[in-house]
Amino acid sequence: MECQVTLGKDAKKLIQDVPTRWNSTFYLLERFVELESCIRTTVALLDADLPHLTAGEWKTLQLLCKALKPFEDATTMASGENYATASLIIIIVNGLNDVCSKLLNSTDIL
């Protein structure tokens, strides 16, 4: 967290995965990517033989977050407690189909 404060960011912790909630994996990846520079700095300063992610692996994590974000949005929208969500399902599924088509045709993903 010291690294984050040094960089003028709010101190945030890494998020752990919860096997019964897929969204937690997304939140874990999203926070990991958000804190990339601090994670790289911390790992470099540690006196341990830790595996390092390559630039390509960091890029893959960023693209994975980009691909999973619409699904997280759809899950949140369909999980509403204060409004009826059944009427939104067709709209949500059509939106996810559009997003998936765009992602598959995107040059970023290749």
Side-chain angles (χ1 to χ4, degrees):
M1 288 191 204
E2 291 177 26
C3 175
Q4 296 172 53
V5 173
T6 302
L7 295 173
K9 298 180 181 181
D10 293 333
K12 296 181 181 179
K13 294 181 179 181
L14 292 174
I15 297 173
Q16 291 195 8
D17 185 37
V18 178
T20 57
R21 304 274 185 220
W22 89 263
N23 287 31
S24 69
T25 304
F26 169 73
Y27 298 138
L28 175 148
L29 293 172
E30 187 178 51
R31 180 66 56 86
F32 201 74
V33 168
E34 179 184 349
L35 298 177
E36 175 185 355
S37 61
C38 291
I39 291 169
R40 284 179 180 246
T41 301
T42 301
V43 169
L45 292 174
L46 291 174
D47 188 24
D49 188 24
L50 296 173
H52 297 273
L53 293 176
T54 66
E57 290 169 331
W58 281 106
K59 181 68 175 171
T60 299
L61 290 175
Q62 293 168 353
L63 293 173
L64 186 56
C65 287
K66 181 179 176 181
L68 291 176
K69 178 66 173 148
F71 291 93
E72 190 275 333
D73 292 340
T75 301
T76 301
M77 191 179 299
S79 300
E81 293 182 11
N82 298 324
Y83 52 88
T85 59
S87 60
L88 298 174
I89 297 303
I90 293 173
I91 295 167
I92 291 171
V93 169
N94 287 338
L96 286 174
N97 280 332
D98 289 344
V99 167
C100 288
S101 294
K102 288 177 184 175
L103 284 172
L104 287 172
N105 294 324
S106 173
T107 58
D108 287 344
I109 301 298
L110 300 176

